[in-house]
C-alpha cells in the first residue's frame, strides 16, 4: 500500500490543536455538571434487545435513569458517579457492547436505518456494517483515529450520505459502491464485495497523511491539503492493494431520515430532544421483543423497530401497527410525521453543562408549545453549538442576557430574543426581512 501523503496546498485550511482528543467514550468518562458522562458507540445504531436492556440497566443503576441519543445514533448515559467506570465497563462488556476496548471510541459508523426494511434502498448495508466494525476493531492502526472521525454507509437513498462523514460509502444502481472522502466532489467506484477493504485502506492513508501533516488533523476536512488530493492518494493505495476502482463524480445527497410511522417492515418514532426516559425505553424494547428483536437508533434522534417477518405474511398489519404506534405515542414518543418536534433540536444546556447560559431544552419545549417555527431550529447553550446538525436552518444561541436568533438561509445578522415563546413570530419577521 502506498504510504505517501499528499503535499500541503496553500488553499487548504488546517486546524491546529494543542491537546489530545478528549472525546468521551464508554471507558473514558467526561466530567459534566450533572455528573460523569459515558458515550457508548453503537455502530449503525443497531441494538439487540438484550443490549438495549443492558443500557437501560446501566442508566438506572449508575446514572440518571435516562438514555440520551446523539446525532450519530450513539447513546449517552449521564449523571454517573466518576468511580463507576469499572462497573459500567463490565456491564457493557457482558452485553457485547465493548468488543474491542482499545477501539471503542473509533466505532463511529452511521448507516441507513431503513436499509433492508423497505424498497427505497439499492442494497442492504448490514454486511458492510458488520464487516467494517470487525475490520476497525481488528486493525492496530485504527486505534489512532479520533473519536470524532465518522464513517457512513448509505444504501443508496442518500440519507446518511448527507451527514458530513469522513468516509462515506453509497450503494450505486449498478450494484457497485461509491467511496467518498470528506467534502470532496470526486469519489471512487469500487465493487460491493471490496467495500470493507477499500474503506480500511482509505482510513490507513488518512492516518498516514495526518501523521505527516504539520497540524493535528482529526478529520478529513482538517488536513492541510484538499480532500481531492486525498482521494487520489487513496486511488493509488487501492491500486497497490489490487482493489479495482475508478474515479467518478460524487452523487448528491439530500434524503431525510425516516419520518415517524410505518415504513415497509418497520415502525419509526422520533425522540424529542433525543431524551428517553426509562419508561419510554421499556416501551420500545417491549415492542422490539414482539417483533424482530432489534432496535435501530438513527442519527436524527429517532428509533426504528424492524417488524417480525412471517412468511407468507410480512410484518405488522395496519391495525396492529396502529395499536403499537398509539402505545408509543402515549409514552411521549413522536409518531406523527407532521409534528414540530422533528424540526427542533438542542444541546444538553443547563443544568448538565457549566458553559451553558440557559436551560435550552426547557425553553425549546416552551417555544414549540407556543407555536411551530416551521424551520429546523437548533437551541444552543453557548457559541460552541454542541451537537448541531448540518441541516439546521435557524440557530437560537443562549447569551448571558437572553438568546440570539439567526438563520442560515437566507443569511441573517440575527435578532435578540428575550422571550423563547416568541420564537415563531421572531423567526417569521427575521426571514421576511431577509427575503
Amino acid at each position: 500500500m502506498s504510504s505517501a501523503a499528499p503535499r500541503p496546498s496553500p488553499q487548504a485550511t488546517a486546524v491546529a490543536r494543542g491537546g489530545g482528543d478528549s472525546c468521551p467514550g464508554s471507558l473514558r468518562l467526561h466530567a459534566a455538571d450533572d455528573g460523569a458522562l459515558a458515550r457508548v458507540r453503537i455502530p449503525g445504531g443497531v441494538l439487540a434487545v438484550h443490549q438495549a436492556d443492558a443500557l437501560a440497566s446501566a442508566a438506572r443503576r449508575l446514572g440518571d435513569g435516562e438514555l440520551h441519543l446523539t446525532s450519530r445514533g450513539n447513546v449517552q448515559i449521564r449523571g454517573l458517579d466518576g468511580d463507576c467506570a469499572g462497573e459500567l465497563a463490565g456491564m457493557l462488556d457482558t452485553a457485547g457492547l465493548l468488543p474491542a476496548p482499545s477501539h471503542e471510541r473509533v466505532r463511529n459508523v452511521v448507516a441507513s436505518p431503513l436499509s433492508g426494511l423497505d424498497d427505497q434502498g439499492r442494497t442492504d448495508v448490514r454486511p458492510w456494517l458488520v464487516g467494517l466494525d470487525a475490520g476497525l476493531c481488528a486493525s492496530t492502526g485504527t486505534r489512532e483515529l479520533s473519536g470524532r472521525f465518522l464513517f457512513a454507509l448509505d444504501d443508496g437513498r442518500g440519507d446518511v450520505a448527507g451527514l458530513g462523514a469522513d468516509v462515506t460509502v453509497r450503494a450505486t444502481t449498478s450494484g457497485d459502491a461509491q467511496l467518498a472522502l470528506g467534502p470532496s466532489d470526486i469519489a471512487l467506484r469500487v465493487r460491493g464485495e471490496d467495500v470493507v477493504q477499500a474503506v480500511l485502506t482509505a482510513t490507513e492513508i488518512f492516518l498516514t497523511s495526518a501523521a505527516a501533516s504539520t497540524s493535528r488533523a482529526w478529520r478529513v476536512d482538517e488536513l492541510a491539503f484538499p480532500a481531492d488530493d486525498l482521494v487520489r492518494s487513496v486511488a493509488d493505495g487501492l491500486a497497490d492493494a489490487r482493489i479495482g476502482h475508478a474515479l467518478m463524480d460524487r452523487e448528491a445527497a439530500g434524503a431525510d431520515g425516516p419520518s415517524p410511522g410505518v415504513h415497509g417492515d418497520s415502525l419509526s418514532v422520533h425522540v424529542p430532544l433525543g431524551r428517553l426516559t426509562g419508561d419510554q425505553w421499556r416501551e420500545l424494547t417491549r415492542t422490539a421483543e414482539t417483533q424482530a428483536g432489534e432496535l435501530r437508533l438513527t442519527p436524527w434522534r429517532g428509533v426504528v423497530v424492524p417488524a417480525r417477518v412471517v412468511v407468507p405474511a410480512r410484518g405488522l398489519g395496519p391495525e396492529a401497527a396502529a395499536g403499537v404506534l398509539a402505545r408509543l405515542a402515549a409514552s411521549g414518543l413522536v409518531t406523527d410525521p407532521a409534528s414540530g418536534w422533528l424540526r427542533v433540536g438542542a444541546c444538553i444546556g443547563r443544568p448538565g453543562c457549566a458553559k451553558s447560559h440557559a436551560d435550552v431544552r426547557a425553553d425549546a419545549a416552551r417555544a414549540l408549545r407556543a407555536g411551530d417555527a416551521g424551520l429546523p431550529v437548533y437551541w444552543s447553550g453557548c457559541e460552541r453549538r454542541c451537537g448541531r446538525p448540518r441541516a439546521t436552518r435557524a440557530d437560537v444561541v443562549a447569551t448571558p442576557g437572553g438568546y440570539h436568533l439567526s438563520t442560515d438561509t437566507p443569511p441573517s445578522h440575527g435578532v435578540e430574543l428575550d422571550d423563547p415563546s416568541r420564537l415563531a413570530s421572531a423567526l417569521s419577521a427575521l426571514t421576511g426581512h431577509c427575503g
Side-chain angles (χ1 to χ4, degrees):
M1 179 185 303
S2 173
S3 60
R7 294 180 179 178
S9 163
Q11 287 77 38
T13 301
V15 175
R17 292 188 172 97
D21 179 10
S22 60
C23 197
S26 300
L27 304 179
R28 177 185 292 180
L29 306 186
H30 170 74
D33 262 24
D34 57 350
L37 173 157
R39 183 175 299 158
V40 186
R41 267 63 175 192
I42 315 291
V46 178
L47 277 174
V49 167
H50 77 276
Q51 294 175 320
D53 286 341
L55 288 171
S57 179
R60 183 174 59 252
R61 184 159 60 173
L62 306 176
D64 62 8
E66 298 184 336
L67 293 163
H68 303 259
L69 305 187
T70 77
S71 59
R72 293 183 169 189
N74 294 320
V75 170
Q76 290 188 161
I77 302 176
R78 303 187 66 96
L80 295 166
D81 186 317
D83 296 329
C84 76
E87 185 176 359
L88 175 63
M91 296 177 72
L92 297 178
D93 186 39
T94 299
L97 292 168
L98 281 179
S102 60
H103 292 68
E104 59 95 8
R105 293 193 311 138
V106 307
R107 301 170 70 223
N108 289 308
V109 187
V110 294
S112 298
L114 293 175
S115 188
L117 302 177
D118 63 8
D119 59 0
Q120 301 303 306
R122 297 167 182 165
T123 192
D124 186 345
V125 301
R126 181 63 71 90
W128 294 347
L129 176 62
V130 173
L132 177 58
D133 188 36
L136 289 173
C137 291
S139 168
T140 301
T142 56
R143 289 183 299 184
E144 301 303 318
L145 285 173
S146 161
R148 293 165 171 78
F149 197 89
L150 180 63
F151 301 89
L153 303 177
D154 193 299
D155 68 359
R157 73 186 68 213
D159 52 0
V160 297
L163 297 182
D166 297 280
V167 181
T168 300
V169 175
R170 183 171 181 177
T172 68
T173 54
S174 66
D176 292 335
Q178 181 185 91
L179 175 64
L181 300 171
S184 178
D185 290 328
I186 59 175
L188 294 159
R189 179 185 286 112
V190 297
R191 292 174 300 182
E193 58 266 33
D194 290 333
V195 160
V196 171
Q197 190 56 48
V199 170
L200 293 173
T201 298
T203 303
E204 291 179 15
I205 292 174
F206 163 78
L207 288 168
T208 299
S209 301
S213 175
T214 56
S215 64
R216 180 170 294 179
W218 290 339
R219 306 200 61 186
V220 169
D221 61 1
E222 296 172 357
L223 290 169
F225 44 81
D228 288 1
D229 290 358
L230 184 64
V231 173
R232 296 185 177 93
S233 290
V234 170
D236 292 340
L238 295 179
D240 291 346
R242 300 185 182 277
I243 297 174
H245 63 279
L247 287 172
M248 63 184 299
D249 291 332
R250 183 174 187 166
E251 189 175 359
D256 295 325
S259 60
V262 180
H263 295 268
D265 293 324
S266 67
L267 301 176
S268 173
V269 298
H270 179 75
V271 181
L273 303 178
R275 185 176 181 176
L276 281 157
T277 66
D279 288 343
Q280 290 172 331
W281 192 252
R282 278 190 292 275
E283 286 294 336
L284 286 167
T285 55
R286 171 187 168 193
T287 303
E289 281 179 331
T290 65
Q291 299 303 318
E294 176 181 290
L295 299 171
R296 298 186 185 183
L297 313 180
T298 82
W300 300 274
R301 294 183 170 90
V303 181
V304 169
V305 181
R308 176 170 51 92
V309 176
V310 181
V311 179
R314 289 178 63 83
L316 285 166
E319 185 175 342
V324 173
L325 289 173
R327 191 179 75 242
L328 294 173
S331 75
L333 297 169
V334 175
T335 61
D336 179 3
S339 172
W341 273 120
L342 274 68
R343 294 180 289 278
V344 179
C347 70
I348 194 65
R350 288 182 180 172
C353 178
K355 292 183 171 61
S356 179
H357 298 294
D359 185 347
V360 292
R361 294 191 170 196
D363 286 341
R366 177 182 166 198
L368 185 58
R369 287 194 297 269
D372 186 358
L375 292 178
V377 179
Y378 195 76
W379 295 71
S380 302
C382 70
E383 286 290 344
R384 296 184 304 161
R385 294 175 170 84
C386 295
R388 180 185 184 274
R390 294 170 61 88
T392 299
R393 293 182 59 191
D395 264 336
V396 185
V397 180
T399 65
Y403 284 98
H404 182 77
L405 167 65
S406 62
T407 59
D408 287 350
T409 51
S412 70
H413 294 295
V415 296
E416 302 310 307
L417 181 68
D418 56 359
D419 182 355
S421 66
R422 297 183 59 250
L423 172 65
S425 58
L427 187 58
S428 177
L430 181 61
T431 55
H433 173 76
C434 292

